[in-house]
Amino acid sequence: MQQFACQLQLISKMNKNSQNLKKRRETKVQDKQNFYKLVAMHQDKLSESSFAQTQQSGPQYMRMHNYKNIQYTADLGIGQPGNTFKVVLDTGSANLWIDSTRCQEEGCMRHKQYNHEDSQSFLPLNQELNVEFGSGDLKGVVNADTVYFGDVTLPRQNMAEITSENGAIFRDLDFDGILGLAYPKMAPKNFNPVFDNLMDQRVLERNQFSFYFAKDANDIAHSEFTLGGYNPAHVDGDIHYHDVIDKYYWMIKADNILVDNKDIGLCHGSCRLIVDTGTSIMSGPFDDLGTLLRTLNVKSHCHEINTLPTITFKIDDVDYTLEPEEYVKPTNFDAAQLTEVNEGDDLQALIEVNNWDCIAAFMPLDIQQPQGPAWILGDVFLRKYYSIYDRDNDQVGFAKAKK
């Protein structure tokens, strides 16, 4: 129990990674005016030729930037094609947040900031939006502008210009915003997420997107986001599709979670799984994760990782297995990285005091009902399995990713 408590104390600090901040709640938008009335007031601007795009587009392969296997970002143009920002493509949230000149705090000013005064396609909506994360919060004002996503021009896209940030979310990480790709049910009332805007304008032949995450932390060039389908070049073998069971997150159902093919009681009949590209590790309900960590006993096997058991997520009778070298992280490698995104001195001291050489890449997180309890399949899982997100059929597809 003492080891488990220390493990939980250590991995809970990893919650401060911006991609691991999923214990959040969207506050109600302060509706000073109805969103659609505001759009109607600007119909003359919305009718300009620059806002029209009717030609459908096939799959587009977009390079992603890999920041030490902690986060993956893509370029998003706002206001004009060349005005690009690095955004985290996050299937665990639904809004578009962008760092802006409205925020003069240190965490904001370290990154590229959007200035609406430089854009001729800016559309003021002036609605406030606040989001609370596990290690801070964001405040912003929602307006609209033309967004350039791959080869697609997306007019009048609503986005939250960040006006204030509290916490380490922007201070230390290499990104300028977050592009949420979850279902619109997660977004505040009257706000259309980016992908839903794409669907409404019928610019894609397939309402799908997919991810390939490079496995090597030093590989900054080969991670890829596909818009409008998937890239067969990254798929090794068959693709298996699983139905979304709650159109809020990309949530699917697992039959069981096995350790060395044994049932240790992690699923009680079945488990909910959230597929989340914005979470760099994985998470599970507090009590169930405790059972898993005690069974693994990772700390005692750091010098012989290959003797640890496999972890298998059984979904619709398909086995998705993680080998120990895929879910165990050596602290002499990761601690230096984690210090860049956490209160690093405390984390480093905790590792040294406990003399740990490795940790399991899981953190405890009790997601509340009605979406929880649930496990999160983050980038640790998604590096091994190519993932496809299909809004036409409300399914998530997995296939082993080619190396």
Side-chain angles (χ1 to χ4, degrees), residues 4-17 20 281-283 289-290 293 338 342 347 350 356 359-365:
F4 171 55
C6 292
Q7 171 84 28
L8 292 184
Q9 183 183 3
L10 171 62
I11 58 184
S12 67
K13 286 182 173 289
M14 299 172 74
N15 279 328
K16 295 181 180 178
N17 292 345
N20 296 336
I281 56 173
M282 298 194 291
S283 79
L289 184 59
L293 293 177
L338 293 173
N342 292 277
L347 178 63
L350 186 61
W356 289 353
I359 57 173
F362 288 87
M363 65 177 181
L365 182 59

Side-chain angles (χ1 to χ4, degrees), residues 95-109:
N95 296 313
L96 173 58
W97 288 89
I98 198 72
D99 192 4
S100 79
T101 54
R102 297 175 187 264
C103 180
Q104 295 300 305
E105 297 169 2
E106 179 185 3
C108 293
M109 296 181 70

Side-chain angles (χ1 to χ4, degrees), residues 349-395:
L350 186 61
I351 292 172
E352 292 174 354
V353 166
N354 288 280
N355 196 29
W356 289 353
D357 295 318
C358 66
I359 57 173
F362 288 87
M363 65 177 181
L365 182 59
D366 284 324
I367 297 172
Q368 300 302 310
Q369 293 181 346
Q371 280 71 43
W375 294 71
I376 291 179
L377 301 180
D379 297 346
V380 168
F381 180 91
L382 299 173
R383 274 191 285 274
K384 182 169 185 176
Y385 295 103
Y386 188 83
S387 56
I388 304 168
Y389 306 79
D390 186 346
R391 284 289 298 273
D392 287 328
N393 299 295
D394 294 316
Q395 293 180 322

Side-chain angles (χ1 to χ4, degrees), residues 307-370:
T307 64
L308 285 165
T310 59
I311 301 174
T312 299
F313 296 87
K314 184 178 284 293
I315 309 170
D316 296 331
D317 290 326
V318 180
D319 290 350
Y320 298 97
T321 298
L322 293 178
E323 302 294 332
E325 62 268 21
E326 293 165 336
Y327 69 78
V328 174
K329 300 299 177 185
T331 55
N332 61 357
F333 174 76
D334 278 341
Q337 295 180 7
L338 293 173
T339 57
E340 299 182 25
V341 293
N342 292 277
E343 294 175 358
D345 294 340
D346 292 341
L347 178 63
Q348 186 68 46
L350 186 61
I351 292 172
E352 292 174 354
V353 166
N354 288 280
N355 196 29
W356 289 353
D357 295 318
C358 66
I359 57 173
F362 288 87
M363 65 177 181
L365 182 59
D366 284 324
I367 297 172
Q368 300 302 310
Q369 293 181 346

Side-chain angles (χ1 to χ4, degrees), residues 217-280:
N218 296 314
D219 183 352
I220 62 174
H222 295 101
S223 299
E224 181 184 270
F225 174 77
T226 299
L227 182 64
Y230 69 93
N231 189 347
H234 292 307
V235 173
D236 184 5
D238 295 333
I239 302 172
H240 300 280
Y241 288 91
H242 309 287
D243 292 337
V244 173
I245 62 172
D246 186 342
K247 297 174 187 176
Y248 186 85
Y249 293 107
W250 287 93
M251 180 183 289
I252 57 179
K253 184 176 71 173
D255 308 318
N256 212 338
I257 301 174
L258 307 176
V259 177
D260 260 355
N261 294 317
K262 297 177 181 177
D263 184 352
I264 63 169
L266 298 180
C267 286
H268 312 284
S270 64
C271 282
R272 296 179 178 185
L273 305 177
I274 296 170
V275 189
D276 187 354
T277 58
T279 295
S280 60

Side-chain angles (χ1 to χ4, degrees), residues 71 73-76 78 84-88 97-100 108 110-114 160 162 170 173-178:
Q71 67 174 33
T73 60
D75 291 338
L76 183 75
I78 304 178
T84 58
F85 299 82
K86 289 182 181 179
V87 294
V88 175
W97 288 89
I98 198 72
D99 192 4
S100 79
C108 293
R110 289 188 179 186
H111 302 274
K112 182 173 180 178
Q113 295 183 293
Y114 167 78
I162 295 171
F170 278 97
L173 291 173
D174 186 29
F175 70 102
D176 310 311
I178 302 170

